[in-house]
Amino acid sequence: LRTKKGMTMRTMKAILLLALLLTATGCKQIAAIFSGGRGGTEKLICHIDSSTTIGQPVSSPDSRRVAYVAKDGAKRHVVVDSKDEKAYDFIDVSSLAFSPDSHRVAYVASAGGKQIVVVDGKEGKLYDDVQALLFSPDSRRVAYAAKVGEKWLVVVDGKEEKAYDIIAEPSMTFSLDSSRVAYLARVGDQWVAVVDGVAGKAYDDAQGLIFSPDSVHVAYVVNIEGKEVVLVDGKKQASYDYIGSNVVKDMKVLYSPDGRSMAYGAQIKDMWTVIVNGKHEKSYDAIGGLIFSPDSAQVAYAAKTDDKWAAVMKAKEGKAYDGINRLHISPDGRRLAFSADAGDKQVLVVDGEEGKPYAAIVEASSMEQAHSCKDDVCWDAFYIAEPFLFSPDSKRVAYVAKVGEKRFNVSEKWSAVVDGKEEQAYDGIGGLIF
């Protein structure tokens, strides 16, 4: 990435944050440049003019392409790999996206008071509004919600489906094999699940729409007379006061990786239990962090009794702690690891054995920000770290720990801990990998 004199600090930060997202070879080149040398050959992937750029540039999943929105007087246009596309009255910067295979680009543009989806430079139909632009996992298909008058409909591969009062945007999803599309829609005061263009029975509420990993089944939760019920392919399962997996936002049920098993948390009066393939496990005050093992044979979760939490796997409870963070099951399905709160410290527990106490063991959802400068260039980088992981053969464990004394002191150091041994400490550590 090359820069011009007079670039704003904001743009320079954006460009260098993009640079940090390049492949490992790119990172080595950047390190060599900042140390005064040149690391191998360079390839210009995009020229970014700070005087015209709007919002943050978007890099492709393979880090080889860049797209961004630029202003051209009163108009806006998308620039893909330094090539200008058609100008429009307005472009929704947040809609700009590459396909999963990095080959395609799509975005929502405005023209004459209407909105239009542009995919690979080709325009779709004009609508009153467009939301939830989505590529399929295989990158071949595109779906989005479009408004016509007071109604909303879903457009899949350019074909309009039936119109409804509201389309629940977060619910729109492709099956893993990209062959199927489903979403939740409102008809009057009730909700229906629309699968492959066909609407199911209407209910007072519907949430958590999900395809099974094998793309065969679709499940969601509905409200029937004040109770929550899991529906699988439209067929009713058991009824509970509340249903939730407590693992991912908006997810109600959890499928195993092979798609053959289902688990979820269920509330019965004041107690909680985990349901696995229709069978109840022990009841607790609360549950959380429900996961399947990679081989689909086991489930694990955190269970609360009074004020303490314990990890449960194979229906067996471990030691109780003040809190339990994200659980991991080894690739072979035999080992369980998690970080636990023990007073003002955190420990990694593997197979029931505690490691050394640390100020913090970083969670996957947390980010550490580092401000760096060299010569006249400054930038902010966000380091995202996996909390801990097993080696592919399940024999080894590594994690990132704060080696200082205070959990929330950002100036203290971080170290990778591999098989219980601390490695060199750094200001920040990126994702771990064996």
Side-chain angles (χ1 to χ4, degrees):
L1 294 171
R2 297 175 185 166
T3 60
K4 280 186 174 182
K5 288 184 178 180
M7 271 196 171
T8 64
M9 182 66 69
R10 180 170 176 267
T11 304
M12 182 62 73
K13 289 180 180 180
I15 292 172
L16 289 175
L17 182 56
L18 268 179
L20 289 173
L21 296 176
L22 293 175
T23 60
T25 301
C27 292
K28 291 178 181 177
Q29 290 175 351
I30 293 166
I33 293 168
F34 283 149
S35 63
R38 302 183 69 85
T41 60
E42 293 178 341
K43 179 181 179 181
L44 179 67
I45 59 174
C46 185
H47 172 83
I48 300 175
D49 185 348
S50 64
S51 64
T52 63
T53 304
I54 299 174
Q56 296 284 5
V58 176
S59 62
S60 61
D62 65 5
S63 299
R64 296 184 178 188
R65 307 183 69 193
V66 175
Y68 62 95
V69 178
K71 59 185 177 182
D72 183 8
K75 299 285 187 177
R76 304 287 186 268
H77 68 275
V78 167
V79 181
V80 183
D81 302 334
S82 296
K83 296 179 180 179
D84 294 346
E85 297 204 348
K86 180 180 176 179
Y88 294 93
D89 297 333
F90 182 80
I91 293 174
D92 181 0
V93 177
S94 65
S95 71
L96 180 60
F98 281 95
S99 59
D101 66 3
S102 302
H103 294 163
R104 311 181 70 188
V105 180
Y107 53 91
V108 179
S110 296
K114 299 286 187 176
Q115 292 198 322
I116 189 170
V117 170
V118 182
V119 184
D120 302 329
K122 298 179 181 179
E123 299 176 342
K125 182 179 176 180
L126 288 168
Y127 293 100
D128 294 322
D129 196 2
V130 172
Q131 301 288 338
L133 180 60
L134 182 68
F135 275 108
S136 62
D138 67 4
S139 303
R140 296 180 179 181
R141 311 183 69 189
V142 177
Y144 55 90
K147 188 177 184 181
V148 180
E150 297 300 319
K151 297 288 186 177
W152 284 86
L153 53 83
V154 168
V155 181
V156 184
D157 302 330
K159 298 179 181 179
E160 296 178 353
E161 297 196 347
K162 182 181 176 180
Y164 297 93
D165 295 325
I166 291 177
I167 303 294
E169 296 169 24
S171 71
M172 282 184 57
T173 182
F174 280 97
S175 59
L176 193 59
D177 68 0
S178 303
S179 68
R180 310 181 69 188
V181 182
Y183 52 91
L184 298 173
R186 199 181 78 183
V187 181
D189 294 330
Q190 293 191 305
W191 290 86
V192 297
V194 183
V195 184
D196 302 327
V198 179
K201 184 179 177 180
Y203 295 94
D204 294 336
D205 189 22
Q207 302 177 52
L209 184 68
I210 183 175
F211 278 106
S212 59
D214 59 9
S215 304
V216 174
H217 305 290
V218 61
Y220 57 102
V221 175
V222 299
N223 188 291
I224 301 177
E225 297 180 352
K227 298 286 187 177
E228 293 203 337
V229 180
V230 175
L231 297 188
V232 179
D233 301 329
K235 298 179 181 179
K236 298 178 184 178
Q237 310 295 307
S239 174
Y240 299 97
D241 294 322
Y242 185 81
I243 292 171
S245 70
N246 292 316
V247 61
V248 179
K249 184 181 179 182
D250 298 325
M251 182 181 288
K252 285 285 196 174
V253 302
L254 186 68
Y255 271 107
S256 61
D258 64 7
R260 297 177 181 178
S261 297
M262 175 187 287
Y264 51 89
Q267 184 181 11
I268 304 173
K269 294 184 179 180
D270 295 330
M271 301 298 287
W272 283 83
T273 184
V274 167
I275 314 297
V276 184
N277 294 332
K279 297 181 180 180
H280 292 221
E281 298 209 346
K282 182 180 175 180
S283 295
Y284 296 95
D285 294 334
I287 60 169
L290 177 65
I291 58 171
F292 271 98
S293 59
D295 64 1
S296 303
Q298 307 292 340
V299 296
Y301 53 93
K304 184 181 181 183
T305 302
D306 296 327
D307 294 327
K308 296 290 185 178
W309 288 85
V312 180
M313 182 170 162
K314 298 181 180 179
K316 296 180 180 179
E317 299 172 19
K319 179 181 175 180
Y321 293 93
D322 297 326
I324 288 181
N325 304 303
R326 209 163 77 123
L327 297 96
H328 279 211
I329 299 177
S330 61
D332 65 7
R334 297 178 180 179
R335 310 182 70 190
L336 176 67
F338 58 90
S339 60
D341 296 330
D344 61 352
K345 299 290 185 180
Q346 289 188 326
V347 296
L348 189 81
V349 182
V350 183
D351 301 331
E353 295 185 7
E354 297 178 3
K356 176 183 174 181
Y358 288 99
I361 296 174
V362 69
E363 287 300 302
S365 60
S366 67
M367 296 191 297
E368 292 294 324
Q369 182 179 8
H371 184 72
S372 304
C373 291
K374 183 173 179 63
D375 299 327
D376 295 328
V377 179
C378 295
W379 67 96
D380 290 325
F382 292 86
Y383 295 86
I384 305 175
E386 286 292 335
F388 41 86
L389 75 163
F390 286 97
S391 59
D393 64 5
S394 304
K395 295 179 179 180
R396 308 181 67 194
V397 181
Y399 58 100
V400 177
K402 179 172 283 188
V403 295
E405 293 297 322
K406 297 180 180 179
R407 182 175 299 186
F408 302 106
N409 186 348
V410 297
S411 65
E412 292 188 352
K413 301 287 186 178
W414 292 88
S415 176
V417 182
V418 184
D419 299 330
K421 297 179 181 179
E422 292 178 13
E423 298 197 352
Q424 182 177 334
Y426 296 94
D427 295 328
I429 295 179
L432 297 174
I433 187 171
F434 273 104

